[in-house]
Amino acid sequence: MKYCTLGNTDLEISTVGFGVWTVGTTWWGITDDDFGVNLLRKAYDAGITFFDTADTYGNGKGETILARALGDVRDKIIIASKFGYDTESGGKREGHTELPQDFSPAFVRGALERSLERLQTDHIDLYQLHNPRLPTFESDELFATLEDLKREGKIRHYGAAIGPDIGWEEEGLAAMRDRQIPSIQIIYSLLEQDPARVFFPVAQECGTGLLSRVPHASGSLDGSYTPGMTFAADDHRAHRKQEWLESSLRKVSKLDFLYGEGTGRTIGQAAIQFVLAQPTIGCVLPNILNEAQLQEFIAALDTPPLTAEEQSRIADLYDHDFYEDEVLAADASVSESHG
């Protein structure tokens, strides 16, 4: 494992982190809590010290399961959690729909106290605004509250997780430029590079540390997706459109020069090397679903970094949408010829 300082904070984190949503929710097919606890513990034993969770994950289970697994080594890990969704009013989240948000000072303080209780700790190392919208960054009252919480020792630093999906360029820029937030969590992968590419020079300028989640594009880049694959109804990936899956697999087939024989990497490891090639990204948060993936993703750090030629080929493919138009045109031509 390798470690780094996150942006201009004093947080020393592992370069590969653990996104607790895989074991704190059923969104990724894991329903056994004991399995989740064991996986978290194995991650710690393998050198992972950065664990990213949220109060919304499993209605608090994403925090309680972390405390259950690693409460005895609290002083040796960095805990990041998130706030901003109203989990107290009884609303039910369906699929990708979002709960109402509340960033008022009173709600934030209440949410923090509930998270501290679930985590069985007296402080959170990185407390992140969960998918804030642009007006949220205009609230001086909110950021005064967060500074107060730092002075009180209840949080060490605050950050922002931009989402829930790709996009939100204005929000990311506002977080860095207007509020000088020291940590931003973004989506970035071989298949989903925008708007992250806009963030990199700004993060460098502002001293912002970036955290990159779903580097494997929800499974497209770790070898677990196959054509025609289906998922359980409560699995997050069941809500993906079939066209997205098929398009992703076509794109991945054009990245075979990054992995396999002679490269020293699996596809999952190549995806991680791609993300970590960006100097402003301090930590990658792959979706770890089992021990085999845990070991594979950590071992990615020891595989050959991407060469300049490989980076150039990736850029060309992405800038031309992996030449999807040519594929679709060819398919249409074949259909017409058989019509």
Side-chain angles (χ1 to χ4, degrees), residues 1-3 14-16 42-50 298:
M1 181 57 67
K2 298 178 182 178
Y3 303 88
S14 53
T15 304
V16 175
K42 287 183 181 296
Y44 171 75
D45 291 341
I48 290 179
T49 59
F50 183 72
I298 290 175

Side-chain angles (χ1 to χ4, degrees), residues 132 134 137 162 167-178 184 186 199 202:
L134 201 56
F137 294 105
I162 303 301
W168 314 102
E169 179 178 331
E170 288 184 291
E171 284 75 7
L173 295 177
M176 291 185 280
R177 286 179 171 157
D178 299 343
I184 306 295
I186 62 172
F199 295 153
V202 181

Side-chain angles (χ1 to χ4, degrees), residues 137-208:
F137 294 105
E138 300 170 0
S139 173
D140 292 337
E141 194 176 32
L142 166 62
F143 287 94
T145 299
L146 292 171
E147 290 293 335
D148 287 343
L149 293 172
K150 283 182 63 178
R151 283 189 289 270
E152 294 166 20
K154 294 185 175 182
I155 62 174
R156 289 175 64 185
H157 297 278
Y158 55 85
I162 303 301
D165 44 20
I166 56 174
W168 314 102
E169 179 178 331
E170 288 184 291
E171 284 75 7
L173 295 177
M176 291 185 280
R177 286 179 171 157
D178 299 343
R179 291 297 178 179
Q180 292 77 53
I181 293 178
S183 171
I184 306 295
Q185 185 176 142
I186 62 172
I187 291 175
Y188 181 59
S189 74
L190 282 160
L191 301 185
E192 299 166 325
Q193 298 182 34
D194 291 308
R197 294 196 293 186
V198 176
F199 295 153
F200 298 144
V202 181
Q204 185 73 44
E205 170 193 336
C206 297
T208 307

